Amino acid sequence: MNYKLEFPLSPELEKYRDRIEATIKPYIEIQTNNDDVNWWQSKFGGFPYLPKGFEYPKTPDGKYLFLLAQLNFDEIPPLDGFPDRGILQFYIADDDLYGLDFGNYANLDNPAVEQKFKIIYFPQPDFQVENIITNYDFLPEPEYFPVQGCCCLQFTKKYAPISTNDYQFTELLGGEIHELFMNPEIWDEYLEISQPVGHKIGGYPDFTQEDVRKYSSKSDRQQKADILLLQMDTDCNETVDIMWGDSGVGNFFIDDSALRELDFSKVLYNWDCA
């Protein structure tokens, strides 16, 4: 589908309009709020939906993982390639690296060895409370976890072009566009257009440093994790306290074909901070 920018651009960016519009993708903006949240709802933090008898996720050495995010796709506007139902959960370890394994970056064609994080998908959740786990007293208090508290989520479908630190930016828009960003007004204009920051599903990611996906070779790109499955940003307000290191951002990426097959066994997890 061809998307258009429905507003004028500065003269400097106008000559790149066609290239910019060609990169536009839909995404789901996520907003947090402090409404009460139940077991099945989308949430950041808190306790998960888990059927009775389901083994709570742990690291290989037996340490508990903690729920970072839960997405109930019955609550989320349709997004091509993504599930239209079911509950998707993101768990990470409670350690000083938030479960990130930097060693995986040396092998980005096989990026996800889920040792200290885990993605779980329930295509048909059971909505009977008597059939789910409701007592999580066995979990210790996390020490390093990036999310303090629990909040429910609201979703809005939006559209935006490629972000400046996506590894494909120069390839798709041309290296000369970087010269325009020497002008802070042009830089701010493009950031306003591309909307890289914030919590989101799909679209283009934000990084405080650089896109780790650029280190895989071109021959690996058919298997590259090019779909932004979830971005959770630093967000400190009256609703929730999320802090990735020093005001960083966390991302999960997946290959398009794996996503369409609902195969979440090979997800690239990354977070960075300033």
Side-chain angles (χ1 to χ4, degrees):
M1 183 178 294
N2 294 322
Y3 301 102
K4 301 294 182 182
L5 297 173
E6 303 297 334
F7 47 82
L9 298 174
S10 63
E12 292 87 348
L13 285 180
E14 183 61 41
K15 64 180 181 179
Y16 294 97
R17 176 181 286 272
D18 289 346
R19 295 189 204 175
I20 293 171
E21 290 180 337
T23 70
I24 294 176
K25 287 184 180 180
Y27 70 98
I28 305 299
E29 178 189 75
I30 303 174
Q31 296 287 340
T32 61
N33 65 54
N34 57 4
D35 293 343
D36 292 336
V37 60
N38 65 36
W39 296 108
W40 300 272
Q41 280 181 285
S42 301
K43 64 181 80 173
F44 287 162
F47 299 122
Y49 157 84
L50 286 178
K52 285 183 177 178
F54 191 91
E55 184 177 357
Y56 190 92
K58 300 176 182 178
T59 65
D61 59 358
K63 295 181 180 178
Y64 290 109
L65 301 176
F66 290 84
L67 182 70
L68 182 71
Q70 176 169 288
L71 302 177
N72 185 333
F73 281 92
D74 284 335
E75 304 168 355
I76 299 172
L79 193 62
D80 182 49
F82 283 76
D84 58 7
R85 61 174 180 164
I87 291 176
L88 185 65
Q89 299 171 336
F90 301 76
Y91 295 82
I92 63 172
D94 177 40
D95 60 29
D96 55 359
L97 292 179
Y98 307 141
L100 186 62
D101 183 358
F102 288 104
N104 283 338
Y105 293 165
N107 187 20
L108 286 182
D109 60 323
N110 184 22
V113 180
E114 294 185 357
Q115 300 290 316
K116 294 185 178 181
F117 76 96
K118 191 168 186 64
I119 314 297
I120 299 175
Y121 178 61
F122 296 99
Q124 295 182 314
D126 187 330
F127 293 100
Q128 301 298 317
V129 68
E130 63 268 21
N131 295 330
I132 66 172
I133 299 171
T134 57
N135 185 345
Y136 287 93
D137 289 346
F138 59 86
L139 287 178
E141 285 292 325
E143 182 178 359
Y144 299 100
F145 203 61
V147 181
Q148 300 296 316
C150 174
C151 64
C152 60
L153 308 175
Q154 294 179 327
F155 305 96
T156 305
K157 192 171 187 177
K158 294 190 172 183
Y159 302 82
I162 191 169
S163 55
T164 57
N165 48 16
D166 187 287
Y167 79 97
Q168 299 176 98
F169 181 83
T170 300
E171 177 183 340
L172 295 178
L173 295 190
E176 66 271 18
I177 197 172
H178 285 287
E179 297 179 12
L180 299 180
F181 294 153
M182 298 298 291
N183 182 332
E185 293 182 359
I186 302 301
W187 172 255
D188 289 343
E189 179 186 3
Y190 193 83
L191 290 182
E192 181 67 23
I193 294 169
S194 60
Q195 293 292 316
V197 301
H199 315 302
K200 64 174 70 174
I201 302 166
Y204 295 99
D206 186 35
F207 301 91
T208 59
Q209 297 187 27
E210 58 185 350
D211 190 339
V212 297
R213 298 172 299 170
K214 73 180 184 179
Y215 293 110
S216 58
S217 67
K218 289 185 178 180
S219 63
D220 293 332
R221 289 187 180 176
Q222 289 183 342
Q223 301 298 321
K224 185 181 286 291
D226 269 343
I227 304 298
L228 179 60
L229 191 58
L230 174 67
Q231 175 168 292
M232 181 189 285
D233 212 339
T234 288
D235 187 358
C236 300
N237 55 52
E238 62 183 17
T239 301
V240 69
D241 187 353
I242 303 172
M243 180 62 70
W244 294 93
D246 183 12
S247 299
V249 59
N251 290 301
F252 295 84
F253 300 95
I254 189 170
D255 177 72
D256 178 69
S257 61
L259 177 59
R260 292 180 183 275
E261 295 171 2
L262 302 179
D263 177 6
F264 299 99
S265 64
K266 293 184 179 180
V267 170
L268 172 60
Y269 163 48
N270 176 74
W271 71 269
D272 60 14
C273 64

